[in-house]
Each structure stands twice: as C-alpha cells, then as structure tokens.
Amino acid sequence: MSTLTAQPLSPQPLAPELPANHYLNESHGLKSWLLTTDHKRIALLYMASITLMFAIGGIFAMLMRLELLTPPADLVSDDTYNKLFTMHGIIMVWFFLIPSIPTTLGNFLVPMMIGAKDLAFPKLNLMSWYLFNIGAVVTIYAILSGGVDGGWTFYTPLSTGYLNSHVVAAATGIFIAGFSSILTGLNFIVTTHRMRAPGMTWKRLPLFMWSNYATSVILVLATPVLAITLALVAVERLLHFGIFNPALGGDPVLFQHLFWFYSHPAVYIMILPAMGVISELISTFSRKRPFGYAYIAGSSIAIAAFGFVVWAHHMFVAGISVYAALVFSLMSYAVSLPSAVKVFNWTATLYKGSISYRTPLLYALGFLGLFTVGGMTGLFLAALGLDVHIHDTYFVVAHFHYIMVGGTIMAYLGGIHYWWPKISGRMYPEVWGRLSALLIFVGFNLTFFPQFILGYLGMPRRYHAYPPEFQVWHVLSTAGASILGVGYLLPLIYLTWSYKNSPVAGPNPWGASGLEWQTQSPPITHNFVTTPIVTREAYDYTGIPAPALAVRSEEEASTYVS
Amino acid sequence: MSSQHILPRRTYFLVFLALEVLTVVTALVASIDLGAANTVVALCIAVTKSTLVVLFFMHVKYSSKMTKLTVILGVFWLMILLGMTMTDYVSRLWSTVR
Ligand code: HEM
Ligand SMILES: [Cu+2]
C-alpha cells in the first residue's frame, strides 16, 4: 500500500495479528540495541533513560513534599533540602523535560510522519543518546558524591564563589547533555527539509512535525548559549576570573541575562512538542481536520521566534533598568498570543467533532485546562507590579509546574498511549488508562493549586520551614503529590504488562490519518515497504474507516462498528 | 553538498596571513589608549577576522543560498542577545534622580 489517494484505505481488520517481521524482532541481543541506528529503537532507548531520570527526580520531589508536611524543619537538614530542590530541578529540566517528547515520540515519529526510512543522520542520533547518558552519569556522580545546591538556575556569585558542593561536576553533566540536544535538533531540521516523501509538501506536514521543527530551531540556537554560560561559571569558580562575581570585577546580572536567554526559550523546548502531540490527539479523536491548521503551524514558529525576546521577565526584581523591564513585559504579553491561538483552535476543532473519549483524548483535555491556567498565570507574573509581590514565591512554582507537569507531562503520557499501538503493536488497557489519566489530573491539581494560594499569601520558594498558618495548604499539596505518584506508576506497570498480554492493535486502530498509521504495527525497520507517495492533504479523514477497534472485547468492538 | 568548490592553496595562505596581521594589530592597538574607542576598534578587528574565517575557511562564500541564510540568521540572532541585553545596561541609569 504505497499510494495514498482519497479512495478508501484498506479497513482495519477486526481481529488483527502481529506481523511476522518488525523492528523489534529484526535482530536480537544487547548489542543489536546498543549499536542500533534505527530511529525507533533509539526512541525506546531514550525512553528507558528518561524514565529512569524521571524516577530519580521524582524521589527528590517526594522527599521535599514529606519535609514540607509539617512547619518546622524536621525530616532533612537545611543543607540537604537545598540539595534536594537543586537536584530535582536539574534532573527534571535537563534530563527529563527537555529531551522528553522530541527524543522519544519525536525520534520515533518524525521519519514515519514524512514517509522516510530514518532520520537524516542515524549515527548522530545514536551518538546523541550516548552523550545524553554520559551527561546523566556525570550528573549522577555529582549527586552521589555529595550533591549540588544553589538551585537549578546556578545563580552567580553564589554558584561561582560561595557554594561548597559539586557545582562544576553538575554543570559538566548538563554541558554534555546539551550536545545531545543540539544533535537531535540538527537531525530533525535536516530531516524535515530533505527527507520528505514525494508529495509531502510543507503544507501537508502534520502539526507534530511543525512543532518539532520549531523546537529544533530553538535547540540549535539556544543550547550553545547555555553551554558557554556554564563554562564561564566553571572558569570563574575554578580559575577565579572575574566574570560574574562583583568582588572579582564581574557582573552578576550578566549571568542572569545569559542564563535566561537560554532558559526561557528552553521552556518552549518543553512545551512546543507537547503542543504538537495535542494537535494530533485532538484531531484524531474528534475526526476533524484541526481548525486553522495554518495558524497552529505558524504559531509554533512564532512562539519559537518571540520566545527569544522575553527572557528578562525572570529578572524584574534583579535591578535591571525599568525601561528594559517595560519592553520585556510587553514582549511577554505578546508571546502569549500564539499560545492562545492554539488553545482556541484546539477547542474549535472539538466543536461538532465526532468525539471519542479514549485515554489519549482525556490526557489532551487535561492538557488544555492545565496549560491554560499555567499560561494565564504567566501573564500575572509578567506584569511588572504584581511580580514584585509574587516573584520567588510558590506562585512561580505553581505557574511553571502547571505548564511543565500539567502541560508537557500530560501531553507526553497522552502521546505514549496514543502511539503505544504503533510502538508495541498492542493496545494499552483502556480502563486502566482512563483511571491513570483521572488520577493524574486530580493529583496534579491537588498538588499544585494550593501552591498558587501559598505563593499569594507570601510563602517563598526554596524554604524548608514555614509558619504554622501555611500548613493546611502544604498538607493538601503533599496529599496530592502522593496521588500523582500513584498515577505515574500505573502506566509504567500496565504498559509493560500490555507489551505481552494486550490485544493486538493492527495498523490503524484509531482510524487516524497520518502516514505513520499506513504501515504495519510495529513497523518494519525501514518503516514502509515502498516509499509512500502522498496525494492527500494532512488530516483528510475521507475514506478512512472509523475505528473498528481497540478491541478489548467482541462486545466493545461492536459498539465501534456501525 | 555544493561545497565541492576547491580553492587554490594561495587563497588559504593569504587569508591566514591576513588573520596573523590582524592579530598583531590587535595586540599593538591594545597598547595605545583610544579612550571610548578601545572596545570598538578591538571588536571591529575581531569581526573582520571571524568574517574571513566564515567566508573562506568555512566555505560559506561558495555555499548554497540556504547556508548563507542560515549564517545570516545566526548572526541576527546573536544581535538579539547582545542588543536586548544592552537595552538593560544602557538605560539603567536613565531613571535615577539627578
Ligand atoms: C504564556 C507565556 C508565559 C509567560 C508570560 C510566562 C511568564 C513567566 C514569568 C514572568 C516568570 C517569572 C516569574 C518570577 O520569577 O517572578 C516565569 C517563570 C517561569 N516560567 Fe513562565 N511564562 C510563560 C510560559 C511558560 C512556559 C510555557 C513554561 C514551561 C514550559 C514556563 C516555565 C517557567 C519556569 C520554569 C519559570 C521559573 C523559573 C525559575 O525561576 O526557576 N513558563 N514565567
Ligand atoms: Cu520565562
């Protein structure tokens, strides 16, 4: 089946069987994995790495929430607490959120969505995974040999002159992992330009491709600045050159400029791929072309561009010029517009769609609400006056967790469920899937909504003791975190289980329109038997049979065939 | 790749020579006090040198339009970093009461 025309595509078989040959059984043994250049296997390798890092970061989070259950400092010492939030931040930002969607779903899907055999540079892709792991090992070394404190932001002169923890080791780990980011971004850019199948024009690219393209541009442009900045920190710390420390003739605000010039765009590295996933989920489960395709695609590019000119909103109270602050505040308001365009377009896509509330859509709907709250509170923070009150409080903590956890992780999990049939060849268990989506949504809100209130009431971030009147909110938050923890554990268990035990999915269990669904599940190593020739527009559902499937039981199947 | 263009060895030596000369000039200029122009002159020389490297050693002069565009975009983006950072430093004292 190589030519995709507007004619009916072969319907999904009712009782599909696993194909005889696919990328998972093409070769066996550890070596066949560790030396693979197959983008799909590398995606799975990356998935294993980042899941491990997520678990480590999660343990640090749970320890912090336990400490905060009671007002006095009891569970851990102040030094240990400082290290906990620092290492939690470093691991979650650089070793989970930044790589999360691009290196797993992105690696798996970018070639498939454009009808290619692999990424443009398969070996660089493997090298990227190795660099990531080397960076992770160096960072873990920093953790095991005593840890690092001062916050994930490495603010100077604290980090360069006054901390006695493993700052340079941690920064080296991040530096190395940065190169894995650059390689992934470069690979995606070249692949998108050069590897599209005949007929796959830019206007026919799935929205997931557009958002990964925009992300890749940020990865390539911004990551080197972080690398240089961390290198300068190391130079000042080890050699005492005066760069950032005023006592040596340096300028501490310069560090913040450089750091946030990377780190604000970096928050878009985290959210843009998530937005791409959401576009796919919402279209498939409402069986409609996304409303305003061109605007959703264009807003990804606009976010990538505007994201570079708002960074000083992290520095409003750092003593920067009020005139500069005014400009950065205005730009921060401007950057929220393309995000709002997306939210409205997704909602409009749902309108009068043929909606099925499968697990991936539940995650997508969760994303929609949580991302909106996260984005709107970003506007609170970008207001020059209000930020003086809520800067460095729990309000900021709640804001970015709504986006990074409520947004990115919801989308990541939604995407994993949606493409799980493609990745593994089998369905995930629907009931468990819905339960976990619900638990995560409830647990998430219970964890982080109280933090908005705490922050507004004046609880500063990064403290391990607090006045008793704040306790009720902290108790709620810790309770929510426990639910959230269970919610994250569930998919890990049932997806592993489903790999051997669930019903076989077949090539296109969702009746989705993307090219990745026009080949067998799991795909062969080269994805397509012959290079597809694309003659359809993106998200054209005409002739694609509605899902006959997700056959968990004969009975359920019958409700989907009409 | 369109970077198959082969340059005569002479070009490389000339560019190398130019870079060496400019390095010496940088060192010499550093010993003369030009007041506010100190940094400006040093930066001008540095930009000239890096332009030579990009155009000849990195072959951008003989590369596709896409490559040129990418380089220009990179420089433009560096200007954003420097320019918008400077908005802070330049205007910081405007509002102090005189
Ligand atoms: C809708 C656009 C957004 C606006 C206007 C916005 C605004 C802000 C502002 C003004 C701050 C600084 C608050 C302070 O420290 O006083 C901030 C902090 C933060 N935001 Fe956003 N934000 C937006 C979107 C995002 C997104 C999409 C993410 C992540 C994916 C994100 C992640 C963060 C993080 C991590 C911090 C805190 C960094 C730290 O100090 O540790 N924001 N945001
Ligand atoms: Cu920001």
Side-chain angles (χ1 to χ4, degrees):
Chain A
M1 181 75 185
S2 58
T3 311
L4 303 177
T5 59
Q7 270 119 52
L9 301 163
S10 55
Q12 163 87 3
L14 249 190
E17 281 178 24
L18 274 190
N21 299 309
H22 50 77
Y23 77 101
L24 292 167
N25 69 7
E26 201 238 11
S27 52
H28 296 278
L30 198 60
K31 210 175 133 198
S32 79
W33 280 86
L34 293 183
L35 295 180
T36 184
T37 50
D38 178 359
H39 64 103
K40 299 181 289 303
R41 285 193 170 198
I42 295 173
L44 293 186
L45 291 174
Y46 251 122
M47 212 178 275
S49 297
I50 66 168
T51 306
L52 186 69
M53 296 311 276
F54 183 69
I56 298 176
I59 290 171
F60 292 144
M62 278 325 281
L63 287 173
M64 277 188 284
R65 282 313 328 160
L66 283 177
E67 163 63 58
L68 292 170
L69 200 51
T70 52
D74 33 28
L75 185 65
V76 296
S77 70
D78 44 4
D79 254 352
T80 308
Y81 189 84
N82 288 347
K83 288 178 179 167
L84 283 178
F85 70 67
T86 303
M87 298 185 305
H88 167 74
I90 290 176
I91 289 202
M92 288 306 200
V93 168
W94 283 296
F95 295 95
F96 180 74
L97 285 163
I98 298 252
S100 62
I101 294 176
T103 64
T104 58
L105 296 173
N107 263 339
F108 197 96
L109 294 163
V110 162
M112 300 201 67
M113 284 186 163
I114 57 174
K117 287 195 176 90
D118 205 315
L119 288 170
F121 306 116
K123 285 183 185 153
L124 280 191
N125 198 18
L126 183 64
M127 186 167 144
S128 155
W129 180 67
Y130 277 103
L131 284 174
F132 177 81
N133 285 329
I134 295 170
V137 167
V138 173
T139 306
I140 290 173
Y141 158 79
I143 292 171
L144 292 182
S145 60
V148 51
D149 60 350
W152 74 281
T153 45
F154 288 95
Y155 269 22
T156 57
L158 181 64
S159 64
T160 56
Y162 304 98
L163 296 177
N164 56 8
S165 57
H166 291 74
V167 175
V168 175
T172 308
I174 297 166
F175 184 90
I176 297 170
F179 284 91
S180 81
S181 288
I182 295 174
L183 291 184
T184 300
L186 191 72
N187 224 337
F188 283 7
I189 293 177
V190 177
T191 305
T192 313
H193 278 274
R194 314 288 303 200
M195 310 278 288
R196 283 172 286 122
M200 178 52 83
T201 58
W202 286 86
K203 281 184 182 163
R204 284 178 177 163
L205 285 179
L207 290 165
F208 183 77
M209 291 295 301
W210 277 101
S211 64
N212 270 283
Y213 183 82
T215 308
S216 303
V217 172
I218 310 180
L219 280 171
V220 170
L221 284 176
T223 315
V225 179
L226 173 75
I228 301 269
T229 311
L230 291 178
L232 289 176
V233 166
V235 165
E236 178 166 295
R237 191 174 162 87
L238 298 174
L239 308 175
H240 310 289
F241 286 4
I243 302 165
F244 302 127
N245 187 347
L248 302 171
D251 177 358
V253 177
L254 178 64
F255 172 84
Q256 298 189 22
H257 276 299
L258 293 174
F259 182 83
W260 290 114
F261 183 78
Y262 162 81
S263 286
H264 185 84
V267 307
Y268 289 110
I269 296 174
M270 304 175 204
I271 201 70
L272 274 168
M275 292 167 156
V277 169
I278 297 304
S279 298
E280 302 295 325
L281 303 191
I282 289 196
S283 171
T284 295
F285 292 99
S286 54
R287 285 186 72 76
K288 263 178 71 184
R289 181 180 164 85
F291 179 83
Y293 167 92
Y295 289 89
I296 300 186
S299 63
S300 293
I301 305 295
I303 288 176
F306 281 117
F308 273 111
V309 293
V310 303
W311 75 83
H313 63 211
H314 296 273
M315 307 162 57
F316 287 156
V317 301
I320 61 169
S321 141
V322 287
Y323 302 99
L326 217 64
V327 174
F328 279 102
S329 174
L330 190 72
M331 295 313 296
S332 303
Y333 274 76
V335 80
S336 69
L337 296 178
S339 306
V341 165
K342 284 185 194 282
V343 170
F344 287 125
N345 282 350
W346 289 322
T347 316
T349 307
L350 289 168
Y351 181 64
K352 290 197 173 167
S354 162
I355 296 176
S356 42
Y357 290 99
R358 315 295 303 217
T359 306
L361 187 69
L362 296 187
Y363 276 110
L365 295 178
F367 173 100
L368 223 58
L370 301 180
F371 173 72
T372 304
V373 173
M376 295 297 282
T377 51
L379 294 178
F380 290 31
L381 290 163
L384 288 177
L386 188 54
D387 189 55
V388 174
H389 177 60
I390 51 184
H391 172 71
D392 257 346
T393 68
Y394 263 81
F395 195 93
V396 178
V397 177
H399 154 70
F400 66 74
H401 282 89
Y402 260 77
I403 290 180
M404 297 159 129
V405 181
T408 304
I409 300 187
M410 291 294 268
Y412 175 67
L413 288 174
I416 294 280
H417 283 82
Y418 175 60
W419 281 292
W420 188 248
K422 189 51 63 183
I423 295 171
S424 73
R426 292 175 188 269
M427 300 305 297
Y428 58 83
E430 186 65 40
V431 175
W432 286 101
R434 288 182 187 171
L435 181 71
S436 78
L438 191 72
L439 276 182
I440 290 175
F441 185 79
V442 171
F444 174 82
N445 280 296
L446 194 56
T447 310
F448 291 105
F449 196 81
Q451 299 188 1
F452 279 127
I453 300 169
L454 275 170
Y456 193 77
L457 293 176
M459 166 94 196
R461 66 192 284 197
R462 297 178 173 172
Y463 275 50
H464 73 322
Y466 54 85
E469 62 261 33
F470 289 156
Q471 188 176 12
V472 54
W473 303 111
H474 277 298
V475 170
L476 287 178
S477 186
T478 300
S482 320
I483 300 177
L484 197 55
V486 176
Y488 287 144
L489 222 51
L490 277 182
L492 195 66
I493 298 169
Y494 65 71
L495 288 181
T496 314
W497 172 87
S498 78
Y499 181 70
K500 280 264 181 305
N501 302 299
S502 255
V504 173
N508 190 1
W510 310 121
S513 66
L515 271 188
E516 77 271 28
W517 301 105
Q518 305 304 332
T519 185
Q520 64 177 47
S521 321
I524 53 171
T525 299
H526 288 309
N527 300 339
F528 303 92
V529 180
T530 50
T531 301
I533 296 165
V534 184
T535 56
R536 298 164 71 98
E537 296 308 313
Y539 307 105
D540 179 358
Y541 288 92
T542 45
I544 300 180
L549 125 126
V551 222
R552 296 195 60 255
S553 63
E554 295 281 281
E555 219 178 311
E556 199 196 358
S558 63
T559 60
Y560 284 95
V561 200
S562 47
Chain B
M1 284 271 138
S2 55
S3 56
Q4 296 310 327
H5 192 96
I6 296 173
L7 291 177
R9 214 171 278 178
R10 222 171 67 91
T11 316
Y12 288 119
F13 281 122
L14 282 178
V15 173
F16 179 69
L17 196 70
L19 292 176
E20 291 306 306
V21 170
L22 286 170
T23 308
V24 174
V25 174
T26 311
L28 291 180
V29 167
S31 57
I32 311 167
D33 190 5
L34 301 170
N38 273 335
T39 319
V40 179
V41 172
L43 277 177
C44 284
I45 299 176
V47 168
T48 313
K49 284 167 74 181
S50 49
T51 310
L52 285 174
V53 170
V54 169
L55 287 184
F56 295 98
F57 287 176
M58 296 171 82
H59 279 222
V60 169
K61 187 165 189 284
Y62 311 99
S63 300
S64 64
K65 286 215 178 76
M66 193 64 168
T67 308
K68 290 191 176 113
L69 191 70
T70 310
V71 172
I72 292 171
L73 201 79
V75 173
F76 172 74
W77 168 91
L78 182 66
M79 290 300 141
I80 297 180
L81 168 60
L82 300 178
M84 290 198 60
T85 300
M86 287 318 286
T87 60
D88 169 23
Y89 289 96
V90 169
S91 66
R92 215 180 270 176
L93 298 179
W94 287 359
S95 53
T96 44
V97 187
R98 268 160 265 235

